[in-house]
């Protein structure tokens, strides 16, 4: 049973993420979307909101499981007995950061391998940070996030204002 873990903040989940997930699925038996729960980091959605939303969004895909984790990724990976990490790469800025994380994670947990998927050019301009900025300034984010996520984002924004 090949279990792969796609960790991240997913604040929010974008088409950039969902495209990586669709491409990673044929490479594993089970794909765990691992949402980091970091109370120090301010996020638009709470981790419980993300859990509920993304569970509903992927409910038809039996190979996908949604979990949250806190602390070190390598500790979480060992706890769930998984050794494959999936990450997407959009550009050289991502590469520098991701390379450092992948090598460090492997030092901490030598069985771990990180597999990178190069973002499709259609999605490589999408970043969760930009999505939140556009949303906060009432721009249209529908080309960048799934409809269900867009609806939840707008509801959250309305509650915050
Ligand atoms: O979506 P993001 O914010 O780019 O995801 C980053 C994430 C969650 C994958 C990374 O910050 C992480 O793995 N955090 C867990 C803490 C950890 O293990 N830090 C050491 C990394 S070498």
């Amino acid at each position: 049973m090949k279990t792969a873990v796609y960790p991240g903040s997913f604040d929010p989940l974008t088409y950039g993420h969902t495209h990586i997930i669709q491409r990673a699925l044929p490479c594993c038996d089970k794909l765990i979307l691992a949402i980091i729960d970091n109370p120090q980091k301010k996020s638009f959605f709470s981790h419980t909101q993300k859990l509920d939303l993304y569970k509903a969004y992927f409910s038809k895909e039996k190979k996908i499981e949604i979990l949250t984790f806190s602390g070190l990724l390598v500790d979480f990976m060992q706890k769930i007995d998984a050794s494959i990490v999936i990450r997407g790469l959009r550009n050289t800025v991502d590469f520098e950061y991701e390379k450092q994380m992948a090598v460090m994670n492997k030092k901490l947990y030598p069985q771990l391998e990180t597999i990178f998927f190069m973002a499709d050019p259609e999605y490589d301009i999408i970043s969760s940070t930009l999505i939140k900025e556009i949303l906060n300034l009432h721009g249209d984010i529908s080309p960048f996030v799934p409809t269900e996520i867009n609806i939840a984002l707008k509801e959250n924004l309305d509650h915050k204002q």
Side-chain angles (χ1 to χ4, degrees):
M1 174 92 164
K2 217 183 285 170
T3 302
V5 174
Y6 184 14
S9 311
F10 305 109
D11 190 50
L13 182 83
T14 69
Y15 282 137
H17 299 124
T18 57
H19 194 240
I20 299 291
I21 290 167
Q22 292 311 325
R23 290 163 62 199
L25 274 176
C27 310
C28 57
D29 301 304
K30 187 171 167 185
L31 181 65
I32 295 177
L33 189 79
I35 304 163
I36 186 149
D37 172 19
N38 181 357
Q40 264 87 292
K41 207 172 154 187
K42 212 174 157 289
S43 78
F44 195 85
F45 283 138
S46 71
H47 72 279
T48 47
Q49 257 180 321
K50 289 181 204 174
L51 199 60
D52 292 346
L53 262 174
Y54 306 160
K55 266 187 185 171
Y57 181 71
F58 290 112
S59 62
K60 289 199 177 73
E61 183 47 79
K62 298 298 165 223
K63 275 169 85 173
I64 299 180
E65 194 179 336
I66 320 289
L67 297 175
T68 60
F69 77 102
S70 55
L72 282 177
L73 176 63
V74 289
D75 289 343
F76 171 73
M77 299 286 296
Q78 286 173 91
K79 203 168 84 190
I80 62 165
D81 196 24
S83 57
I84 302 168
V85 172
I86 303 292
R87 292 286 286 171
L89 285 178
R90 291 166 299 190
N91 48 44
T92 54
V93 178
D94 277 357
F95 175 77
E96 294 300 335
Y97 168 62
E98 295 292 337
K99 181 191 161 195
Q100 207 179 0
M101 266 204 309
V103 174
M104 186 60 88
N105 278 333
K106 194 161 178 59
K107 284 262 178 256
L108 296 170
Y109 177 22
Q111 289 96 316
L112 181 145
E113 291 296 349
T114 303
I115 300 177
F116 293 104
F117 287 81
M118 293 306 305
D120 191 282
E122 197 182 330
Y123 304 109
D124 70 2
I125 52 145
I126 303 177
S127 90
S128 294
T129 307
L130 280 184
I131 300 295
K132 282 179 278 193
E133 185 171 325
I134 297 168
L135 179 77
N136 277 317
L137 298 170
H138 308 287
D140 178 19
I141 55 163
S142 61
F144 315 118
V145 295
T147 310
E148 300 83 335
I149 311 298
N150 193 0
I151 292 168
L153 282 165
K154 283 182 181 153
E155 279 172 9
N156 250 35
L157 187 67
D158 289 344
H159 284 134
K160 279 178 187 172
Q161 284 174 345

